[in-house]
């Protein structure tokens, strides 16, 4: 299987990663995370569902970014669709992740009266 080159595409509140996040791409990943979180002070979801390769060095970058954002009162949410390579890696590493970019919001059954 031929590896695809690393790419990170940013949109408001989301960084979508695709291709191979190998030892050369982790620098670009770290820089993208730093930039999109405004030096780890803003919350961000990172969608890893389209990653072909996610070695331990990439997981280390993600964990470091998660810790840094948490220390600054923000959140780095990992997203990996079920059955993807990223989902398997995150599960094995026991890292918290969700399986879709959409945040589940359930409206209350009845209006809240204060």
């Amino acid at each position: 299987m031929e590896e695809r080159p690393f790419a990170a595409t940013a949109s408001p509140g989301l960084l979508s990663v695709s291709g191979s996040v190998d030892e050369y791409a982790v620098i670009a990943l770290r820089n993208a995370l730093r930039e999109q979180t405004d030096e780890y002070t803003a919350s961000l979801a990172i969608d890893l569902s389209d990653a072909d390769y996610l070695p331990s060095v990439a997981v280390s970058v993600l964990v470091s970014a998660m810790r840094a954002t948490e220390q600054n009162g923000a959140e780095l949410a990992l997203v990996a669709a079920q059955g993807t390579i990223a989902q398997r890696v995150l599960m094995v590493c026991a890292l918290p992740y969700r399986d879709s970019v959409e945040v589940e919001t359930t409206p209350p059954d009845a209006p809240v009266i204060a």
Side-chain angles (χ1 to χ4, degrees):
M1 181 164 115
E2 188 175 321
E3 290 183 9
R4 294 179 300 149
F6 170 80
T9 307
S11 58
L14 177 66
L15 183 67
S16 298
V17 171
S18 62
S20 180
V21 190
D22 60 18
E23 59 274 4
Y24 302 107
V26 294
I27 296 168
L29 175 61
R30 184 180 301 118
N31 291 343
L33 289 170
R34 188 175 289 141
E35 180 181 320
Q36 295 304 312
T37 60
D38 195 21
E39 295 294 326
Y40 307 114
T41 61
S43 295
L44 180 72
I46 177 166
D47 188 355
L48 301 161
S49 299
D50 201 28
D52 297 333
Y53 181 62
L54 197 65
S56 60
V57 67
V59 172
S60 177
V61 167
L62 295 172
V63 168
S64 293
M66 289 172 69
R67 287 182 180 154
T69 53
E70 185 178 309
Q71 288 174 348
N72 289 314
E75 176 189 16
L76 182 70
L78 304 178
V79 179
Q82 293 296 319
T84 61
I85 291 170
Q87 184 263 330
R88 294 181 78 188
V89 169
L90 296 176
M91 184 179 65
V92 167
C93 293
L95 290 174
Y97 68 93
R98 57 186 194 219
D99 59 8
S100 69
V101 174
E102 289 79 29
V103 176
E104 293 181 22
T105 56
T106 306
D109 293 333
V112 177
I113 301 173

